[in-house]
Amino acid sequence: MDWKSLQALLSGVNKYSTAFGRIWLSVVFVFRVMVYVVAAERVWGDDQKDFDCNIKQPGCANVCYDHFFPISHIRLWALQLIFVTCPSFMVVMHVAYRDERERKYRVKHGENAKLYSNTGKKHGGLWWTYLLSLFAKTGFEIGFLYMLHHIYNSFYLPRLVKCDIRPCPNVVDCYIGRPTEKKVFTYFMVGASALCIVLSVCEIIYLISKRLARCMNKMKRRERYIQPPYREDDSHCTLPLTELDHHLECKPETKPDFKPDFKPYPLMPTLRLKDDLRASAPNLSYST
């Protein structure tokens, strides 16, 4: 397998990853791909030739090897690396889709028009694509670890296995080649896979917490711009707004008693007015 091509493809993902994602990519290539290519392939090699049984019955060694090693470690790790790194291409394809939309938008509306402020920024659909890729990577890692644990009995490689499967005539002793060295590499690859799971989980928590913090900040800004409802008691505060504290209460002002300064003009009795009129005009009379 050409691991250089895979590295070239995944190098584009590094531009859109967080700090945890960059560490994850470094761990994958340094502690898994390089160890796989440089050492693990040579240690396992043709593993079936190193599987020796103390009988020369035709087909017995092949059947026993297939029973104890249904899939080789080295091939299982190759599948694991392929499945784990493939979800990262979802992010690259989504960014390429955004770039294409941006190009068509500029052709239609002019060179200065922009559909996205930054096509590689993790907002909107790209954020969900990135989060989905993290869940997929973590799921594949856990699935392959469980498969390796289930097939090889807790990642343990014994020196001697006993086989009584037909066509073996009786219980046959079979010996595994380089069991200690293979056990060391198995534990190393399992540890590197567990570290990648921890990094992916940390990145998921980081992305979700950062998104929640951004949403809370937006809600706070929105509350600041919304004017509070008017209350009648607030217009009769005894202190100015600058001196008010949240512990103080606003009290309505009492209206002062209004006392007029003028005195009402006394009204003259009606009877006296009539008497004056008679005195000034004696010839006039009036009937009661």
Side-chain angles (χ1 to χ4, degrees):
M1 181 177 181
D2 190 6
W3 295 104
K4 293 183 179 179
S5 302
L6 181 63
Q7 184 179 3
L9 290 173
L10 287 177
S11 60
V13 185
N14 203 20
K15 297 185 296 184
Y16 317 114
S17 300
T18 61
F20 291 104
R22 295 186 182 96
I23 297 173
W24 178 88
L25 196 62
S26 301
V27 170
V28 167
F29 280 105
V30 175
F31 294 101
R32 298 178 72 175
V33 174
M34 290 186 64
V35 171
Y36 177 89
V37 173
V38 174
E41 281 185 330
R42 297 180 182 179
V43 171
W44 263 263
D46 193 355
D47 202 21
Q48 191 171 358
K49 290 183 179 180
D50 298 331
F51 189 79
D52 295 329
C53 298
N54 60 357
I55 192 172
K56 299 301 181 182
Q57 178 72 22
C60 180
N62 293 335
V63 171
C64 291
Y65 179 82
D66 183 70
H67 175 72
F68 289 104
F69 298 96
I71 182 172
S72 176
H73 288 70
I74 203 73
R75 293 175 179 84
L76 186 64
W77 289 333
L79 286 176
Q80 183 180 5
L81 289 172
I82 292 172
F83 275 90
V84 165
T85 52
C86 278
S88 299
F89 295 127
M90 297 169 58
V91 181
V92 178
M93 289 187 291
H94 197 142
V95 174
Y97 168 74
R98 280 187 167 187
D99 291 336
E100 182 64 20
R101 285 193 63 189
E102 184 74 19
R103 185 188 65 80
K104 292 181 179 179
Y105 188 81
R106 287 184 177 181
V107 169
K108 186 176 180 180
H109 297 87
E111 291 294 330
N112 296 326
K114 283 189 176 183
L115 186 60
Y116 301 100
S117 59
N118 186 3
T119 56
K121 199 170 184 179
K122 292 184 288 296
H123 285 300
L126 185 60
W127 186 87
W128 288 103
T129 303
Y130 193 89
L131 188 65
L132 182 63
S133 68
L134 290 177
F135 277 110
K137 288 190 292 186
T138 307
F140 283 132
E141 291 277 16
I142 295 174
F144 275 97
L145 279 182
Y146 174 77
M147 191 185 304
L148 190 65
H149 175 272
H150 180 71
I151 294 174
Y152 295 110
N153 191 17
S154 303
F155 318 116
Y156 180 73
L157 285 177
R159 291 184 173 88
L160 172 66
V161 293
K162 295 183 178 293
C163 179
D164 56 353
I165 304 173
R166 297 185 63 183
C168 299
N170 50 22
V171 179
V172 178
D173 295 335
C174 297
Y175 300 90
I176 301 173
R178 300 176 180 176
T180 305
E181 191 174 7
K182 291 177 180 177
K183 190 187 303 182
V184 170
F185 275 101
T186 301
Y187 287 148
F188 182 84
M189 296 296 282
V190 168
S193 181
L195 179 59
C196 289
I197 292 174
V198 172
L199 290 173
S200 297
V201 172
C202 290
E203 191 171 10
I204 291 172
I205 295 173
Y206 170 75
L207 286 176
I208 295 177
S209 60
K210 189 176 180 181
R211 185 65 176 266
L212 291 176
R214 187 183 297 118
C215 292
M216 291 178 66
N217 290 333
K218 285 183 179 179
M219 292 177 62
K220 289 180 180 179
R221 291 196 206 103
R222 194 174 300 170
E223 290 177 357
R224 290 176 185 174
Y225 288 114
I226 295 176
Q227 185 176 1
Y230 174 78
R231 294 182 303 177
E232 186 178 358
D233 294 342
D234 294 342
S235 61
H236 302 292
C237 293
T238 57
L239 294 175
L241 294 177
T242 55
E243 298 181 5
L244 286 177
D245 191 15
H246 62 278
H247 297 293
L248 298 177
E249 296 182 355
C250 294
K251 298 181 180 180
E253 293 181 352
T254 58
K255 295 183 179 180
D257 297 334
F258 180 77
K259 296 182 180 180
D261 295 334
F262 65 91
K263 295 181 180 180
Y265 187 80
L267 297 177
M268 297 176 64
T270 308
L271 185 58
R272 184 178 179 183
L273 179 61
K274 291 181 179 181
D275 294 339
D276 293 340
L277 289 174
R278 182 188 293 181
S280 59
N283 295 327
L284 294 178
S285 64
Y286 62 93
S287 61
T288 58

